[in-house]
Amino acid sequence: MSLEIKVGPPELTVHQGYSVMVSDPDGQIPEVCQKGLFFLDTRLICVWTMFIDGSPWKLLNGGGLTGDTGRVFCTNPKVSTADSDIEENTLGLAFGRRLEGGMREDVEVANHATDPASFNLEFAIRSDFADLFEVKAKSVTRRGDIEVTWPAKSETLTTTYTNKNFRRAIRVRASDAGSPMTYANGRLSFKVELEPGATWRASLLYDFANGDTWSLAPKNGIDDHIGSKAMKEAKLWKEQVLKVETSNNTFAAAFAQSIDDMHSLRLPLDGTNHMKFVPAAGLPWFVALFGRDPLVISLQNTIVHPEFAEAALTVLGKWQASERDDYRDADPGKIHHELRRGELAHFKLIPHTPYYGTADATPLYLITLHSAWMATGDRSLLTKHLGTAERCLSWIDDYGDLDGDGFQEYETRSSAGLQNQGWKDSGGAVVNVDGSMVKAPKALCELQGYVFDAWVRMAQVFDALD
């Protein structure tokens, strides 16, 4: 008997930059759950469903085309309208979803019947603007006000969330639609009339706002997404990184997918580009700037593209702590753990501004610096990041070793801090042999190895710099 391995429930995910849309396989989110459209740690859409005269469409097939693009195919149930009955499976609906800046959905409905079809194509879209941390915890608290506007002349639905000086918004408009878009009873609607063999088309454009700054929907449709800026950058990335030739098709496919995945996870950060970038730590909860993750990923990708590490070294150096802050578990010279941009972080209801509760990112910074230098021979990397590296070394001696015994220990000082600050940082990650929790301070074995490795490598760096 074969063993079926399942990794969570099936879903369709598209993502780009700080945005990710997680839905059911048919592209929909029928009820408020942990799925949605997330932008800068805020859920802009919590419900997204489409109907034909109030009845749900039936999924045929669907999936991701690239990291930022997906396509879904549906057909209709039997529908009784005021004009006539539409028989089951006589209409074909295809829609593609793409994220780049904002979001774009291209919709096509084809009539395969021998009779005309007239119906309402409806989209129910709800926004709750919940903070990602609260969505993940399944405990959402509304703190601000939501306002919905629909100027009929512009045919634009704008939903805005405001809490003092924190503002997020999403607006939806139609482009190249076969009929006007209306809004009533919480639904966007198009009146579709199709002769036999005819096709109706429309594009829904979603713009996202952070404060007064708008991220606009992609200009390229789903069919020509290959010509988009993101795809052109991905092509350059694949052309310049390590190539592997092998007769093992399974390995070749896995390697090619890994190269695509790495580029699709890139975050839009100052000082980075399509070749030197910092990746998100994972979808959907970890689309943020972490400390440990990009350093480990840089080490793992040294053979693929050794210059890749430079972005992580530069960006993380900018966020290196300069003072003690107990709420954020920060000490001078420490490399941060996680930076968030949502409402909770904005009002400092969580310490992720950034939060520094990681004991391994600081020595890993030194290991990554040495590894990048050895792989590239670029001496300027050392001089550029030497100040950051020296502060990392000082943190190891002055703050990483809590009791001065030569070993690295950690203990949170924050009321909202992580109890475990190694790679496995969940609450129950570090236990005694009887299953009981290890009490702080904790001295993980890998921390000692990281620090020793960092010391040896930095000795070589100082020798090279005389």
Side-chain angles (χ1 to χ4, degrees), residues 329-348:
D329 276 335
D331 303 302
K334 197 175 186 182
I335 300 299
H336 87 270
H337 172 56
E338 182 178 359
L339 175 64
R340 290 293 180 170
R341 307 290 181 86
E343 182 180 19
L344 296 184
H346 180 84
F347 291 109
K348 296 181 173 55

Side-chain angles (χ1 to χ4, degrees), residues 289-299 312-313 315-317 319-321 329 331 333-339 354-370 388-389 391-393 395-396 400 408-410 418 420-425 444 446-448 450-451 454:
L289 176 62
F290 280 74
R292 174 197 304 119
D293 299 75
L295 294 171
V296 172
I297 292 170
S298 296
L299 291 170
L313 295 168
V315 172
L316 296 181
W319 289 101
Q320 187 177 35
D329 276 335
D331 303 302
K334 197 175 186 182
I335 300 299
H336 87 270
H337 172 56
E338 182 178 359
L339 175 64
Y355 175 57
Y356 289 84
T358 172
D360 51 7
T362 307
L364 283 171
Y365 185 97
L366 303 174
I367 294 170
T368 303
L369 173 61
H370 176 273
T388 303
R391 290 187 289 273
C392 288
L393 287 168
W395 178 85
I396 289 172
Q408 296 287 297
E409 304 93 4
Y410 64 80
L418 292 175
N420 293 311
Q421 300 184 4
W423 173 258
K424 184 64 175 173
D425 55 18
L444 302 182
E446 65 263 29
L447 296 182
Q448 321 314 318
Y450 291 159
V451 167

